[in-house]
Amino acid sequence: MSDLPQKTCSIDNLIRHEKLVAAAKAGLKTQQRRNGVYGWPGESFELQGTEFVVTGLQREKLGDMTDEHAKAEGYPSLESYRDLILRMHPGMSWDPESLVWAHYFEIKA
């Protein structure tokens, strides 16, 4: 695994908000963006009895996000995603050039 970036947090902390856990369990949420690396491709994690597997990890710019990405994050639109992120992190600005780690996952078959 030496070609993968170092983890900055436990995969157990990838998705914590109750509504987002429910969206993931329903198959509606398939992505999670974080400032750090929480899980590597092929790694499994569990949310309230449902097992998931990370299918991809990619470095992306916030400015490259689309409404489709926001929906895969569990939000109705990019605007609602951006508004919530800014409310959750007072003082943060939405910089389209900021890099985040996009974690892609699915329910484990």
Side-chain angles (χ1 to χ4, degrees), residues 37-58:
V37 175
Y38 286 56
W40 294 312
E43 189 172 3
S44 295
F45 63 100
E46 186 178 311
L47 297 172
Q48 297 176 346
T50 302
E51 195 168 357
F52 294 83
V53 63
V54 177
T55 59
L57 177 67
Q58 188 170 306

Side-chain angles (χ1 to χ4, degrees), residues 62 85-86 89-95:
L62 282 178
I85 294 298
L86 293 176
H89 303 284
M92 178 184 164
S93 64
W94 186 269
D95 179 1

